[in-house]
């Protein structure tokens, strides 16, 4: 017993070591959050091959099942995307530019399609066990924020963004 009859505080158990996935693309940390059905790994990949911190992209990959920590299926899909990243990004940014060019009031003055595409930067990429892949971009030429494109397992696409404080979800 300690001073004044209180029990001595037991040393806290060492925090459980974090589960990591080390790969050629980067190191990913396991996330287990049942409240939002998130069971996967998150880490940083050098999508732009520049190594500049501001150009590092956050990547999330689901586990093969919520019940296990293996993420082979989604990681393999991430590798496929990364191997063809220039084509993938060009296709998506072109679709985003086309989408917003249909509403000229959403485009900064003087911006054209190529300028919009060139200014987009992939900031987040998610690969999910249901077959969906989500891409989130920063952009300076569009008056919308939180721009993300989801390519669903069936090949359909939708764009989600915030414009004038409202969330919009449109088919692409």
């Amino acid at each position: 017993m300690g001073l004044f009859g209180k029990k001595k505080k037991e040393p806290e158990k060492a925090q459980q070591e974090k589960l990591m996935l080390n790969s050629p693309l980067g190191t990913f940390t396991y996330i287990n959050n049942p409240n939002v059905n998130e069971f996967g790994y998150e880490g940083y990949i050098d999508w732009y091959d520049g190594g500049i911190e501001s150009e590092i992209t956050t990547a999330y990959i689901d586990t093969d099942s919520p019940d296990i920590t293996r993420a082979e299926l989604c990681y393999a899909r991430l590798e496929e995307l990364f191997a063809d990243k220039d084509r993938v990004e060009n296709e998506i940014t072109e679709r985003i530019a086309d989408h917003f060019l249909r509403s000229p009031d959403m485009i900064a003055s003087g911006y054209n399609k190529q300028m919009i595409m060139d200014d987009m930067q992939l900031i987040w990429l998610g690969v999910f066990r249901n077959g969906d892949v989500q891409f989130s971009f920063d952009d300076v030429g569009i008056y919308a924020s939180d721009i993300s494109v989801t390519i669903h397992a069936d090949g359909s696409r939708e764009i989600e963004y915030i414009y004038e404080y409202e969330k919009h979800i449109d088919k692409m």
Side-chain angles (χ1 to χ4, degrees), residues 7 9 13 16 24 28 40 51 53 60 65 73 77 80 93 110 114 122 125-126 141 151 157 163-164 168:
K7 287 185 177 180
K9 188 176 180 180
K13 292 181 180 178
Q16 195 174 31
F28 298 83
E53 187 175 321
Y60 171 82
S65 157
L73 300 172
R77 290 182 33 233
E80 289 173 14
T93 58
Q114 192 60 52
L122 182 66
L125 167 63
I151 302 173
R157 292 168 164 76
Y163 180 65
E164 294 184 344
H168 299 265

Side-chain angles (χ1 to χ4, degrees), residues 46-102:
D46 191 2
W47 185 264
Y48 294 102
D49 300 325
I52 300 170
E53 187 175 321
S54 66
E55 294 182 352
I56 297 296
T57 301
T58 303
Y60 171 82
I61 52 173
D62 262 344
T63 55
D64 294 346
S65 157
D67 304 327
I68 60 175
T69 58
R70 189 176 61 244
E72 294 171 7
L73 300 172
C74 290
Y75 181 77
R77 290 182 33 233
L78 176 64
E79 282 185 319
E80 289 173 14
L81 290 167
F82 195 83
D84 199 16
K85 63 186 175 180
D86 293 335
R87 184 198 60 78
V88 169
E89 183 174 7
N90 189 62
E91 178 185 322
I92 294 167
T93 58
E94 184 172 12
R95 285 179 178 248
I96 292 170
D98 288 343
H99 180 82
F100 286 108
L101 284 167
R102 288 192 281 273

Side-chain angles (χ1 to χ4, degrees), residues 17 22 25-26 35 44 47-48 51 65 70 79-80 83-84 101-102 104 111 126 133 138 141 149 151 156 167 169:
E17 206 173 300
N22 295 308
L25 295 181
N35 295 332
Y44 302 100
W47 185 264
Y48 294 102
S65 157
R70 189 176 61 244
E79 282 185 319
E80 289 173 14
D84 199 16
L101 284 167
R102 288 192 281 273
Y111 267 77
V133 180
D138 256 353
V149 171
I151 302 173
S156 65
K167 183 177 184 176
I169 300 175

Side-chain angles (χ1 to χ4, degrees), residues 102-149:
R102 288 192 281 273
S103 302
D105 57 319
M106 295 181 74
I107 304 296
S109 178
Y111 267 77
N112 62 36
K113 182 176 182 173
Q114 192 60 52
M115 292 168 73
I116 293 168
M117 291 172 61
D118 290 346
D119 280 351
M120 283 190 208
Q121 180 181 341
L122 182 66
I123 57 172
W124 189 86
L125 167 63
V127 182
F128 302 95
R129 75 180 67 85
N130 69 358
D132 290 356
V133 180
Q134 187 174 43
F135 302 84
S136 295
F137 290 89
D138 256 353
D139 180 79
V140 296
I142 298 172
Y143 297 134
S145 61
D146 300 336
I147 300 169
S148 41
V149 171

